[in-house]
Amino acid sequence: MKRSVTGEPAASMSELSQLYARLNRRALSEAQLFHHGFPRPSNLPGKARVRVHPDTFWTAQPSLRKRICERCKKTYEVDSSGYPVVKEECRWHLWRAKNGIYGCCGRSTYGKTCKTSPLHVTSNIDPDNLKGFIDTSDSDVSSTSVFALDCEMVSTTRGMEIAAITVVDHQCKVVYETLVLPEGRIIDYNTIFSSLTSDKFRDVTTKLEDVHTKLMSLVGTHTILVGHGLHNDLLRLQLFHGRVVDTIYLYPHPKGLPAKNPLRFLKQRHLPHLLVNEGLKCREDAVATMMLARLKCGFTASP
């Protein structure tokens, strides 16, 4: 079989070139990136600017010591270490209410909550203090490539932090996957969403700076990153990237924004037979977003 100079089959390279060209036309513009809440470089090195608005997965924290619980929406105070000052149980619902009824449990908005957690957790950010970001435009990677990326988060004393990441290539093959040790103390593993538990972190030593090093060896200015709600992943990854295809906007909700199709809905509708039994939960979502991108560009979901 004829191969390219990179060692990949020529047919594969041809597919990659076509996929890249078609996705590149669907990449978000700089104005769209900022409008949709993606972290963008400011005038200061390593500092990000973001647009805080209701469509993002986070809001601005009320003050230095006050937070808003992402689950029950209660405002609470934290101590100097980031722990809630008042140790009270958080009561919440898994899904939002629609027409006065919660889809997660079928109870009305006047009924009892169906979920409880030992402490409040937050996804708030301080938009004036977003530092430590790296920019893929500083990478030495100059090739045109397409990767899908997904992360899992845990709630810590510093807010929401990256705890797992998977990157797959245009053929849905894993090129990077790891657990990540957060900087803050973990308050909640968000197991119901992330499938992460304390047992999985016993021997984890990889830190965010190690993830940065790896990503800078994979991703460059010409790389297309695919994801679902990727603005949140890039914010928590502390990563600037300017060539993004997001399946939220690739598969718009029929009602238009701010309504958005959840990834689970897109998987059920377009990828009913998707089943990834190995690896972290973020692997399935990274694979799913790449498959959705391929379908939108006229390719089969998986090579």
Side-chain angles (χ1 to χ4, degrees):
M1 180 182 291
K2 184 178 179 181
R3 291 181 176 272
S4 69
V5 292
T6 63
E8 292 191 48
S12 174
M13 290 300 294
S14 175
E15 179 186 82
L16 174 57
S17 298
Q18 294 179 56
L19 179 63
Y20 184 93
R22 295 174 190 180
L23 284 177
N24 200 35
R25 292 194 291 268
R26 294 171 168 85
L28 297 174
S29 67
E30 181 62 32
Q32 289 173 322
L33 288 172
F34 183 72
H35 177 79
H36 293 310
F38 284 80
R40 306 308 301 146
S42 70
N43 294 328
L44 298 176
K47 189 175 186 298
R49 60 189 181 94
V50 295
R51 177 174 178 257
V52 179
H53 62 113
D55 294 344
T56 56
F57 294 115
W58 31 259
T59 55
Q61 62 187 44
S63 66
L64 182 63
R65 291 288 180 84
K66 295 211 172 192
R67 305 287 185 270
I68 300 174
C69 180
E70 69 166 302
R71 292 172 173 169
C72 69
K73 308 307 177 185
K74 181 176 181 178
T75 300
Y76 65 100
E77 187 176 354
V78 297
D79 59 23
S80 58
S81 298
Y83 285 100
V85 172
V86 178
K87 305 300 189 293
E88 62 180 356
E89 188 177 62
C90 175
R91 300 182 180 185
W92 53 289
H93 284 278
L94 184 60
W95 296 349
R96 294 179 180 178
K98 184 177 181 180
N99 298 323
I101 300 296
Y102 287 100
C104 49
C105 59
R107 297 174 184 173
S108 73
T109 51
Y110 299 101
K112 293 182 179 180
T113 56
C114 61
K115 299 293 180 184
T116 59
S117 300
L119 296 171
H120 294 300
V121 296
T122 186
S123 60
N124 296 172
I125 62 167
D126 181 355
D128 298 320
N129 192 35
L130 295 174
K131 301 177 182 178
F133 281 68
I134 61 168
D135 197 326
T136 56
S137 65
D138 296 327
S139 168
D140 293 329
V141 177
S142 59
S143 59
T144 55
S145 53
V146 180
F147 294 118
L149 178 156
D150 190 74
C151 298
E152 297 301 333
M153 322 288 180
V154 293
S155 300
T156 78
T157 51
R158 296 170 64 93
M160 295 292 287
E161 293 191 68
I162 293 288
I165 179 174
T166 299
V167 181
V168 301
D169 65 12
H170 71 288
Q171 294 184 318
C172 303
K173 295 178 181 177
V174 176
V175 296
Y176 181 53
E177 183 172 86
T178 185
L179 291 170
V180 186
L181 189 65
E183 290 188 27
R185 298 292 298 273
I186 298 176
I187 294 177
D188 195 318
Y189 287 90
N190 297 327
T191 306
I192 192 171
F193 301 110
S194 69
S195 297
L196 299 175
T197 61
S198 59
D199 291 343
K200 295 182 179 181
F201 282 83
R202 287 178 179 173
D203 299 316
V204 176
T205 58
T206 301
K207 296 184 178 180
L208 184 58
E209 60 189 47
D210 301 313
V211 177
H212 282 172
T213 300
K214 181 63 178 181
L215 290 177
M216 291 295 274
S217 72
L218 290 172
V219 181
T221 303
H222 300 292
T223 304
I224 294 176
L225 283 183
V226 179
H228 189 87
L230 199 55
H231 67 288
N232 192 45
D233 296 288
L234 297 187
L235 178 72
R236 305 304 179 182
L237 276 172
Q238 296 177 241
L239 186 72
F240 296 134
H241 188 66
R243 205 176 297 267
V244 169
V245 172
D246 199 308
T247 49
I248 282 180
Y249 312 108
L250 203 57
Y251 291 82
H253 195 284
K255 292 183 178 179
L257 294 172
K260 300 174 183 178
N261 287 315
L263 183 56
R264 65 177 180 274
F265 168 78
L266 296 178
K267 288 193 289 187
Q268 290 169 356
R269 181 168 185 176
H270 300 283
L271 307 169
H273 303 299
L274 174 64
L275 183 62
V276 180
N277 293 320
E278 300 179 351
L280 303 168
K281 180 181 176 294
C282 46
R283 180 184 297 190
E284 179 176 313
D285 289 349
V287 169
T289 54
M290 181 58 75
M291 286 183 169
L292 289 168
R294 290 175 59 87
L295 284 174
K296 183 61 71 170
C297 292
F299 295 95
T300 57
S302 57

